[in-house]
Amino acid sequence: MAVSKDEVIKELKGAARQGRISCALALSTAFRCGVTPGEAGTCLDEQGIRIESCQLGLFGYGPGKQKRIQMPETISGEVADWMADRAEAQGHITCLEIFAKAKEDGLSRALLAGACEKTGVKIRACQLGAFF
């Protein structure tokens, strides 16, 4: 059962440090509170809390908050086919799709994101709303 918006905000603010919260902590807080990642992201925006340490490595690392992409040496045929199918169908792959594929196949989210980066496939629609 979802908690009230005020309780979600309280939990997110409690988890944040110096006005920032990691992607992983924001997502786990959302799930614990019974709200969607998007709802949690809206609360973060309203409170001016910034998301850092993207689990895909796309943003929020280091002093310049740059990327930390993990480039795979090789990309399996299955992953390449999956990326091509997704990119052809909608022109990009979503953050949620990468999370699901990683879980389904026991793969690293960051390496899947790196495979996208390496092949030029765009990642869109952060679950928390950090990018679209």
Side-chain angles (χ1 to χ4, degrees):
M1 180 168 156
V3 300
S4 71
K5 183 177 179 178
D6 289 339
E7 186 64 25
V8 173
I9 290 170
K10 179 181 173 187
E11 291 292 321
L12 289 167
K13 286 173 84 172
R17 297 291 174 257
Q18 298 177 344
R20 298 187 176 283
I21 189 169
S22 71
C23 167
L25 189 51
L27 285 173
S28 67
T29 302
F31 296 132
R32 190 176 68 253
C33 291
V35 299
T36 68
E39 290 168 324
T42 297
C43 292
L44 292 170
D45 283 346
E46 290 172 358
Q47 298 303 306
I49 299 171
R50 307 269 312 179
I51 302 164
E52 61 184 2
S53 304
C54 166
Q55 293 182 74
L56 302 183
L58 299 177
F59 66 91
Y61 291 91
K65 303 301 177 191
Q66 63 269 16
K67 293 180 179 184
R68 185 176 284 169
I69 298 290
Q70 294 180 14
M71 290 290 191
E73 298 245 347
T74 60
I75 301 170
S76 74
E78 180 188 342
V79 169
D81 290 346
W82 173 77
M83 289 187 321
D85 289 346
R86 297 308 312 145
E88 184 178 319
Q90 59 194 25
H92 62 272
I93 294 175
T94 68
C95 172
L96 182 60
E97 289 171 326
I98 289 178
F99 269 60
K101 180 70 171 168
K103 183 176 182 178
E104 176 184 314
D105 293 352
L107 301 171
S108 161
R109 296 172 190 149
L111 283 174
L112 282 174
C116 289
E117 185 89 0
K118 189 172 188 171
T119 59
V121 173
K122 297 293 180 195
I123 300 170
R124 302 244 190 268
C126 167
Q127 296 176 76
L128 293 165
F131 60 86
F132 299 98

